[in-house]
């Protein structure tokens, strides 16, 4: 893949990848690391992305990288840092706090559905789970 194409993808989708990683990891620095690693994968490997599916591939790659981080020994054996997120509205701060109490697999589904606007079928493909699993995760997230 050409460097110009990668730069264009980065400009277009970096914020989307970062937000998905943040919804999984709930830490800005870790989300930035995942975002960088996703785009570094494009640079290091000869990957062909089909037109119209670039964003879905990037989000799937980010979701997999987040899952790997969550399973890592380092992530499981350290204390969480409190991010100093800047919110313009107290309602946004409260919503962020509530979403943060959800397990990562529920946060990711909520983020992809409500913020990114993906359908349940598209989320299932991105996360590599069944549509039923997506529906169940959304239902459990709403009940929490």
């Amino acid at each position: 893949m050409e460097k110009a194409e990668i730069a264009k993808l980065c400009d277009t989708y970096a914020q989307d990848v970062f937000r998905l990683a943040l919804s999984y990891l709930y830490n800005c620095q870790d989300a930035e690391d995942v975002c960088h690693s996703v785009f570094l994968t494009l640079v290091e490997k000869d990957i062909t992305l089909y037109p119209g599916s670039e964003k879905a591939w990037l989000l799937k790659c980010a979701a997999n990288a987040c899952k790997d981080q969550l399973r890592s020994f380092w992530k499981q054996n350290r204390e969480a840092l409190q991010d100093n997120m800047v919110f313009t509205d107290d309602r946004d701060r409260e919503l962020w706090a509530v979403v943060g109490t959800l397990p990562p697999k529920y946060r990711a589904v909520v983020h992809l559905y409500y913020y990114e606007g993906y359908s349940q079928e598209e989320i299932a493909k991105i996360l590599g789970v069944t549509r039923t699993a997506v529906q169940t995760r959304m239902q459990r997230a709403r009940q929490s």
Side-chain angles (χ1 to χ4, degrees), residues 37 55 62 84 106 111 140:
S37 70
K55 183 177 179 181
N84 293 326
Y106 299 156
H111 173 78
R140 290 180 181 168

Side-chain angles (χ1 to χ4, degrees), residues 2 5 17 19 30 36 55 64 66 73-74 81 86-87 89 98-99 105-106 108 141:
E2 299 282 329
E5 291 175 294
V17 170
R19 285 190 300 262
D30 291 342
H36 292 161
K55 183 177 179 181
N64 289 337
C66 290
F73 175 82
W74 172 251
L81 296 174
V86 178
F87 295 99
D89 187 3
V98 170
V99 171
K105 64 183 181 180
Y106 299 156

Side-chain angles (χ1 to χ4, degrees), residues 1-2 41-49:
M1 181 172 270
E2 299 282 329
T41 301
L42 287 176
V43 173
E44 292 176 341
K45 298 181 180 177
D46 188 26
I47 296 173
T48 303
L49 298 178

Side-chain angles (χ1 to χ4, degrees), residues 10-107:
C10 188
D11 289 341
T12 307
Y13 300 116
Q15 285 298 317
D16 299 326
V17 170
F18 173 78
R19 285 190 300 262
L20 176 63
L22 187 60
S23 73
Y24 260 104
L25 303 172
Y26 215 63
N27 180 289
C28 287
Q29 290 77 21
D30 291 342
E32 287 173 359
D33 289 345
V34 166
C35 188
H36 292 161
S37 70
V38 167
F39 288 100
L40 190 59
T41 301
L42 287 176
V43 173
E44 292 176 341
K45 298 181 180 177
D46 188 26
I47 296 173
T48 303
L49 298 178
Y50 298 103
S53 66
E54 299 95 346
K55 183 177 179 181
W57 185 89
L58 291 168
L59 291 176
K60 182 172 185 126
C61 189
N64 289 337
C66 290
K67 290 174 191 176
D68 290 344
Q69 256 197 34
L70 289 171
R71 283 191 298 261
S72 74
F73 175 82
W74 172 251
K75 184 73 174 173
Q76 292 178 4
N77 293 294
R78 68 179 178 152
E79 291 186 31
L81 296 174
Q82 293 297 324
D83 285 344
N84 293 326
M85 301 287 290
V86 178
F87 295 99
T88 56
D89 187 3
D90 286 337
R91 186 170 182 233
D92 291 340
R93 183 184 330 275
E94 292 170 14
L95 183 60
W96 178 254
V98 170
V99 171
T101 62
L102 297 173
K105 64 183 181 180
Y106 299 156
R107 285 195 304 253

